[in-house]
Amino acid sequence: MSNAPSNPKGTRDFLPTELSKRNYIIDILKKNFKNFGFSEIETPALEKTSTLLGKYGNEGDRLVFKILNSGEKVKKADINALNSNDLKSFSKSISEKGLRYDLTVPLARYVAQHQNNLTFPFKRFQIQTVWRADRPQHGRFQEFTQCDADVVGNNSIVQEIELIKLYDSIFSELGFNDLVFKINHRLILRGIADYIGIENNLNEFISIIDKLDKIGSDSVVDEIKQNFQDVSISKLEKLLKNKSLSFENISLLLKDSSLANKGIGDLKSIFDFISSKSLNNEIKFDLTLARGLNYYTGTILEVVSKTNTRLGSLGGGGRYDDLTSLFNMKNTSGVGISFGLDRIFILMDEKKLFPSYLKNSFDVIIINFGIKYLKEIYFFIDMLRTKNNKVLIYPDKIKLNKQLSYANKHNAEHAIIFGENEYNKNEIIVKNMIKGTQSVHDLKELNTNILQ
Amino acid sequence: MSNAPSNPKGTRDFLPTELSKRNYIIDILKKNFKNFGFSEIETPALEKTSTLLGKYGNEGDRLVFKILNSGEKVKKADINALNSNDLKSFSKSISEKGLRYDLTVPLARYVAQHQNNLTFPFKRFQIQTVWRADRPQHGRFQEFTQCDADVVGNNSIVQEIELIKLYDSIFSELGFNDLVFKINHRLILRGIADYIGIENNLNEFISIIDKLDKIGSDSVVDEIKQNFQDVSISKLEKLLKNKSLSFENISLLLKDSSLANKGIGDLKSIFDFISSKSLNNEIKFDLTLARGLNYYTGTILEVVSKTNTRLGSLGGGGRYDDLTSLFNMKNTSGVGISFGLDRIFILMDEKKLFPSYLKNSFDVIIINFGIKYLKEIYFFIDMLRTKNNKVLIYPDKIKLNKQLSYANKHNAEHAIIFGENEYNKNEIIVKNMIKGTQSVHDLKELNTNILQ
């Protein structure tokens, strides 16, 4: 059956119930983003190659989906490059556009391009698809949705405080109260790199620290020993092997580092404002939180579940200075968070946090006894729909049982019965499919309250 | 400034106000689709080349955006094809996937693929981006949103009736009451082709009739004379030059055509059920409505504005038998309508149908007098947001006027003032930015009603 129709590997079709669950999450995200003063924007799926390439490292460049130039333009294919195995140049010769790889570089491009039409600080959220030409695997998709909220053009700690409150507000509304918001600061990590004597290799240091959760502190110490010669091992071991090292102790340890002090000051302001007491979830300083990406420069944070730790983070974010400098707009600090839609979905399914009504494609079925009867009660169908009841008219006059069975498959709550008997008596029967009860109503006195 | 960042030609960035207007339309579409018993689905942006190509004609094939194979796979480039100018084969050798060109072929693929997990009749709506490698022009985009509602697996006329009611319900809620829903039937057009003696060239005939609005009846008659030799010109002229030819007259004219009679019967059932009287807009039989696409087989309809005719149709649709036969699933009738989002947007802007609140990025600004004061009233900010007020905290403690000016730029309605004075007096000031009034409230008795 290789001829059977199928979607490409790494992509997904969404069936109605699955999509209504996804949209339930997205709607709660959107509502809260708006309530926190963020405005929605959208950028195109297609971006110029010059916007995309060189922003995500070599591996990233490789994973950008490239669009083949159309029409005659493919004639410019650089055959020499192909023959000499320079696939990058060959691709470049026949492609000028690619698919959006994330929402951050497009945001930077957007802000730089439209700076004169925006008011700063610019608070935007964006929920759109991104594409990566990754090898498709179980749970890893080539096409997935990113949900980001960022503030561009402001470096007040109020933004960090609000983003943590936003996380708590959204996750609470989704039904979570057992998450941990881990928080750290890049300047503290820089302070530590100074402290143990490897300040010139910060990015390497961070990328090793970032593996702590996966490989454990012994392996991290080993890896650092191997990579750095002059590192003060005793200091490092003291730090890393004591994962519960408190915020207070770190402040004492790094009190002479001016960099670290800025970071510590930021976190202090945050903790002074919000504590776990004022949240439905927990907030926790975590010295070992590094977050891989190079562009973070200030606060970094990450959301994890206490009960399902193997799932990875449900969201993360941080502050990055000079977001837009790639596009010739200087001194524009940004801070943002993102939500891992697919992981949130998995965890909510596991914990049965989705309301059961999401399984209903419609609430009410109108049983079809012939078009004459439908016409007679169409005024009432109009009324039900105006009051936002989801009403489906069964299209064919078939056996009552078959129509009711269709309604049951869709978890419809009510069936409305109006056939010849009812027509003659000027009444309508409302059947509650869940409770198994039914009630009779005068056709002239119908109102939407009869659906109880 | 060719180095200035920009989005590709034919694509769009959406600024907040524009997007909130688009989403206002989309939200009304979604709500009504659901109230009429349609369920939302999504399909991937990427489809296999085998799914896309050969479905839209040669021109369509050319306009499908092709994705370059990644990594080593581009080595399979067919250089011979390139050298012999066979660009189609060359493209095929380096591309296995393309971007979705419309939502209809993906729907057919989806239904065939998931038929065992769907209950028929299957009523789905889908609002997603599609891509066409068309030459970008003013108002014509390479990337745009289609909004479709279709019923698959049922051929009852109830579906047609419901789709017209759905059109009326949606356009009414958007604020339109001066639209015309033109309706015709492909079997009537076939009856006419028979009647004038060109039944073997139906598609050509339809594609010429389809131009009537653009080129006028004289040109259409000329074109038909040129294309068909045996056509009965007098009959044709009688038909075409009398655009007001009524449904009743056509029924009489074609009373011997069994095909036409089925079409006339369908339309009669529709008109018996709904008349312009029962709609906010007008429904009208239009013999000259042809709609270009070959796949229609039954009712066809189209929505146009009475006041802005040059804009073209705001939506259209019809019945197509054997939607899924392309994917080896037989006897599956479909009927659907679509909405032209960009044109609806333009017309609503023209007619000022968008509510003014769409210009607000937020409703309330919290004036910043320092983090100490923000902390003190954060409980109230929480309360406002829980009641779905859009609240923005100004992030920096700068001059009051500058903060208010930021709020004005975003059309915020209220400003909340809580500085040292207010702190000492245990009160809060609410400023109504629209009316220019302000009121003072006890900090201990705050509730969301104070925003009046």
Side-chain angles (χ1 to χ4, degrees), chain A residues 24 171 174-176 347-355:
Chain A
Y24 173 80
F171 279 113
L174 291 173
F176 292 99
L347 199 55
M348 287 183 67
D349 239 6
E350 245 177 56
K351 290 171 164 278
K352 303 194 192 315
L353 294 178
F354 289 111

Side-chain angles (χ1 to χ4, degrees), chain B residues 235-252:
Chain B
K235 282 183 174 177
L236 179 69
E237 287 188 313
K238 187 172 148 198
L239 263 172
L240 292 188
K241 301 226 165 164
N242 191 351
K243 277 186 77 174
S244 67
L245 198 60
S246 70
F247 184 54
E248 288 69 27
N249 288 343
I250 280 289
S251 311
L252 279 175

Side-chain angles (χ1 to χ4, degrees), chain B residues 3 19 41 53 74 93 104 124 143 158 218 232 247 254 260 266 306 325 336 379-380 442:
Chain B
N3 253 342
L19 188 61
I41 67 161
L53 299 185
V74 293
S93 68
T104 305
R124 87 84 173 85
E143 178 173 335
V158 168
D218 284 342
S232 163
F247 184 54
L254 301 177
D266 280 358
K306 287 184 199 173
S325 60
F379 79 97
F380 181 57
D442 190 324

Side-chain angles (χ1 to χ4, degrees), chain A residues 27 42 139 155 157-158 172 178 197 200 216 280 294 310 320 331 359 362 382 408 423 433 444:
Chain A
D27 288 346
E42 284 182 7
N155 54 19
I157 201 72
V158 168
S172 303
D178 61 350
N200 295 325
N280 292 311
N294 281 340
R310 77 190 143 64
Y320 39 93
N331 299 319
K359 285 182 302 190
F362 51 87
D382 271 343
N408 273 327
Y423 177 81
M433 312 269 292
K444 296 222 168 53

Side-chain angles (χ1 to χ4, degrees), chain B residues 16-32:
Chain B
T17 301
E18 194 179 2
L19 188 61
S20 69
K21 287 176 173 177
R22 274 171 72 86
N23 284 340
Y24 173 79
I25 301 173
I26 288 173
D27 288 347
I28 287 176
L29 289 175
K30 285 193 174 189
K31 194 186 76 180
N32 280 279

Side-chain angles (χ1 to χ4, degrees), chain A residues 76-99:
Chain A
K76 292 184 185 159
D78 183 349
I79 308 302
N80 291 335
L82 181 67
N83 288 336
S84 59
N85 215 18
D86 179 1
L87 302 183
K88 208 167 158 179
S89 297
F90 176 64
S91 292
K92 211 174 160 185
S93 69
I94 46 174
S95 168
E96 289 167 359
K97 284 182 280 206
L99 289 174

Side-chain angles (χ1 to χ4, degrees), chain A residues 414-445:
Chain A
H414 292 97
I416 289 196
I417 293 172
F418 182 77
E420 198 180 354
N421 265 338
E422 290 73 38
Y423 177 81
N424 290 331
K425 292 196 230 164
N426 254 312
E427 60 190 32
I428 213 169
I429 296 174
V430 177
K431 195 174 160 68
N432 186 313
M433 312 269 292
I434 312 293
K435 299 181 188 161
T437 56
Q438 63 179 48
S439 54
V440 181
H441 304 272
D442 190 323
L443 194 60
K444 296 222 168 53
E445 286 166 13

